[in-house]
Amino acid sequence: MRLIGLLGGMSWESSAEYYRLANELVRERVGGLASARLLLHSVDFAEVERLQAEDRWDEAGVLLAAAAAGLEAGGAELIVLCTNTMHKVAPAIEEAVSIPLLHIGDVTAHAVRAAGLRRVGLLATAYTMEEGFLRERLAGHGLTVLVPDADDRALVHRVIYDELCLGVVTEESRQAYREVIARLVAAGAEGVVLGCTEIELLVDQSDSHVPVFPTTRLHVEAAVTAALAGD
């Protein structure tokens, strides 16, 4: 089993899900007392969030690239960046290491295409919904990506940073997300990408009449498959 390097802490709430899911999936696939071989570098999210808010993405890239290099030095054989938003600096990370970075956009796109869909809505942080780094990655796989309107984007973003990243999950926000999903479906979305790793703490398939694509679970499933392949 290959050693997976988890680059997390953005937020630690979602990174805890990565850790839990990886171990559960390995146990399911291997059996017995098997668990995942993991090496975790968890950053201080307050520092990363400050760089995001101040549009200092190059500095964020340097920070995460150094962390990824540390994971490789520690023996990691592939890197999993436990966040959608920070895939904005994925090129900086890839330049800093010689091992593969398993890109969350590619994993998600493959799942959408496997489901036979081409037009999906995207729920994520404002950075991810409004900038092109993830939408264009998905589009590169032949997908059309819809995002909510400005008010809905602000709502989705606020819930992520003010609630989910702090471990706060409320029924009020769950209902608000359901309504955003319904509006995306009314606009033509055949499915919905949960494009922020914390969103899966709030909504799942039961909250949508169209297929949802939980990027955290999809990312972990792909990482475990790669780790168990051992090549």
Side-chain angles (χ1 to χ4, degrees):
M1 191 190 310
R2 297 162 81 188
L3 179 63
I4 301 171
L6 297 177
L7 181 44
M10 299 164 280
S11 67
W12 70 259
E13 295 283 348
S14 66
S15 300
E17 284 295 290
Y18 269 83
Y19 182 83
R20 179 183 65 81
L21 288 168
N23 283 293
E24 288 180 352
L25 287 169
V26 168
R27 183 174 59 195
E28 289 172 10
R29 296 185 188 185
V30 179
L33 297 176
S35 56
R37 296 186 62 230
L38 303 168
L39 183 63
L40 171 65
H41 184 122
S42 187
V43 302
D44 178 2
F45 190 40
E47 181 179 3
V48 173
E49 190 277 332
R50 183 166 55 253
L51 295 174
Q52 291 175 342
E54 295 174 359
D55 200 28
R56 295 159 60 191
W57 294 95
D58 288 346
E59 293 175 58
V62 170
L63 174 69
L64 296 190
L71 288 170
E72 182 176 20
E77 296 167 272
L78 71 156
I79 299 291
V80 173
L81 179 57
C82 306
T83 160
N84 279 271
T85 297
M86 296 313 296
H87 274 74
K88 180 176 171 70
V89 301
I93 295 171
E94 290 173 320
E95 289 177 7
V97 297
S98 61
I99 57 177
L101 171 70
L102 186 60
H103 198 291
I104 201 167
D106 296 336
V107 169
T108 302
H110 292 157
V112 174
R113 291 294 301 270
L117 307 183
R118 295 295 181 93
R119 189 177 179 89
V120 291
L122 174 63
L123 297 183
T125 66
Y127 307 113
T128 305
M129 291 185 288
E130 295 172 4
E131 300 184 32
F133 61 92
L134 184 62
R135 291 186 290 108
E136 291 169 7
R137 191 85 177 200
L138 296 174
H141 290 271
L143 303 180
T144 299
V145 182
L146 307 177
V147 297
D149 64 23
D151 288 343
D152 281 352
R153 292 198 304 271
L155 181 151
V156 170
H157 182 88
R158 179 191 60 75
V159 169
I160 292 169
Y161 279 86
D162 294 352
E163 298 178 18
L164 301 180
C165 287
L166 299 174
V168 176
V169 177
T170 71
E171 186 59 35
E172 179 182 5
S173 292
R174 180 175 291 112
Q175 181 57 35
Y177 268 49
R178 288 171 180 154
E179 293 169 5
V180 174
I181 290 171
R183 286 190 281 273
L184 284 170
V185 173
E190 301 168 324
V192 176
V193 172
L194 306 183
C196 174
T197 51
E198 285 86 9
I199 290 178
E200 289 160 65
L201 303 174
L202 182 65
V203 294
D204 57 24
Q205 185 59 66
S206 67
D207 298 295
S208 170
H209 295 300
V210 299
V212 300
F213 297 90
T215 55
T216 297
R217 175 169 283 278
L218 293 171
H219 206 193
V220 176
E221 287 175 349
V224 168
T225 296
L228 293 177
D231 57 10

